[in-house]
């Protein structure tokens, strides 16, 4: 039993360590400045953690993937909240509110949060990639992952610029749908939408598959 538990615990060393680092850096920032301005990062990090929790649940309940429907609600929640993970990249814009005497620290802190969010994104998408093997032919999985990242890029735009949240799909579905349709119907008027969408998607796609390629290369 001990031999089984210890390797599983080791898988969480870096996620837990990264989370502690973010909390410590934020606490130091609050102590240094007396300002709670960046406290919203905790909420954003919580939202970013939801898809990771979903993928961990599906990994632990792999038999659900054999079912025709049990995995679908969790997968939908995963997809709905996944844009919150790379969304933290856009929080770098808050550096404009930093005063000159602490901007050096804010850069350090925000990069830590962004790194952690991208790390969590890599873990959760990797988990889902493994699970998709049980449902799809291997040659299709990469295309699904690319599509997911494009949706994430679009989700970042909806959240950062149109101020929609993941739960608005339930609270304000019609207004959200109208905004989405407007972006799609008038792509040239809304060129910023697609620059943001595909720009962020490109970062995620290159980062994810680049890390996987590097990992497989060293493994071989």
């Amino acid at each position: 039993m001990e031999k089984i538990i210890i390797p599983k615990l080791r898988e969480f060393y870096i996620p837990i360590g990264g989370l502690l680092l973010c909390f410590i850096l934020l606490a130091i920032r609050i102590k240094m400045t007396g300002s709670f301005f960046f406290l919203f990062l905790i909420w954003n990090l919580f939202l970013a953690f939801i898809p990771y929790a979903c993928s961990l649940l599906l990994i632990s309940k792999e038999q659900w993937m054999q079912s025709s429907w049990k995995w679908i609600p969790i997968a939908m929640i995963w997809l709905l909240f996944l844009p919150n993970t790379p969304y933290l990249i856009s929080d770098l814009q808050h550096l404009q509110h930093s005063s000159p005497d602490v901007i050096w620290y804010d850069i350090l802190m925000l990069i830590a949060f962004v790194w952690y969010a991208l790390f969590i994104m890599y873990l959760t998408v990797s988990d889902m990639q493994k699970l998709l093997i049980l449902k799809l032919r291997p040659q299709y999985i990469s295309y699904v992952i690319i599509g997911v990242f494009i949706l994430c890029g679009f989700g970042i735009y909806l959240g950062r610029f149109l101020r929609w949240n993941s739960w608005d799909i339930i609270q304000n579905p019609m207004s959200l749908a109208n905004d989405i349709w407007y972006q799609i119907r008038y792509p040239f008027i809304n060129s910023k939408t697609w620059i943001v969408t595909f720009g962020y998607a490109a970062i995620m796609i290159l980062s994810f598959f680049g890390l996987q390629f590097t990992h497989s290369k060293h493994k071989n």
Side-chain angles (χ1 to χ4, degrees):
M1 178 66 71
E2 187 178 350
K3 290 182 179 179
I4 296 173
I5 292 174
I6 290 176
K8 285 187 176 181
L9 287 175
R10 284 176 180 168
E11 293 177 10
F12 295 100
Y13 283 175
I14 295 179
I16 293 172
L19 189 62
L20 288 174
L21 174 64
C22 291
F23 286 166
I24 290 169
L25 289 174
L26 180 58
I28 292 173
R29 207 274 181 185
I30 293 172
K31 180 68 175 177
M32 284 172 56
T33 64
S35 170
F36 292 90
F37 174 75
F38 281 107
L39 205 58
F40 67 86
L41 289 171
I42 299 297
W43 174 248
N44 287 357
L45 208 57
F46 168 74
L47 294 177
F49 221 84
I50 292 175
Y52 184 44
C54 289
S55 62
L56 286 177
L57 176 61
L58 287 176
I59 286 288
S60 67
K61 302 288 186 181
E62 193 172 307
Q63 66 272 18
W64 287 2
M65 298 299 291
Q66 308 299 331
S67 166
S68 59
W69 64 271
K70 282 185 178 179
W71 62 278
I72 294 176
I74 305 299
M76 290 178 66
I77 294 171
W78 177 83
L79 184 60
L80 184 63
F81 281 91
L82 187 62
N84 291 290
T85 309
Y87 179 85
L88 268 87
I89 303 173
S90 68
D91 282 329
L92 289 170
Q93 75 169 27
H94 293 293
L95 285 170
Q96 64 183 312
H97 302 297
S98 299
S99 59
D101 56 327
V102 295
I103 192 169
W104 62 272
Y105 187 84
D106 290 347
I107 292 172
L108 170 66
M109 180 184 66
L110 283 170
I111 286 176
F113 273 86
V114 170
W115 164 80
Y116 186 71
L118 292 176
F119 174 67
I120 290 298
M121 183 191 72
Y122 178 81
L123 292 180
T124 189
V125 175
S126 294
D127 284 345
M128 293 302 288
Q129 187 181 39
K130 294 171 188 173
L131 291 169
L132 284 173
I133 294 174
L134 302 174
K135 287 293 180 181
L136 297 174
R137 293 181 180 179
Q139 61 266 33
Y140 297 140
I141 294 175
S142 293
Y143 295 109
V144 172
I145 298 299
I146 289 171
V148 165
F149 285 139
I150 292 172
L151 288 175
C152 282
F154 188 59
I156 291 171
Y157 178 83
L158 292 176
R160 175 56 66 192
F161 296 98
L162 300 186
R163 308 309 297 166
W164 289 108
N165 297 302
S166 297
W167 49 86
D168 282 316
I169 197 170
I170 297 173
Q171 290 184 335
N172 300 295
M174 294 308 298
S175 297
L176 175 59
N178 286 334
D179 266 356
I180 291 173
W181 175 240
Y182 179 77
Q183 309 305 315
I184 296 172
R185 187 179 180 184
Y186 302 105
F188 296 106
I189 295 176
N190 300 297
S191 58
K192 182 179 179 181
T193 305
W194 306 110
I195 292 172
V196 171
T197 296
F198 289 105
Y200 277 101
I203 292 171
M204 289 181 275
I205 291 167
L206 292 173
S207 299
F208 181 77
F209 289 108
L211 284 170
Q212 285 203 328
F213 174 76
T214 303
H215 178 70
S216 62
K217 189 176 180 181
H218 284 292
K219 199 173 182 180
N220 295 331

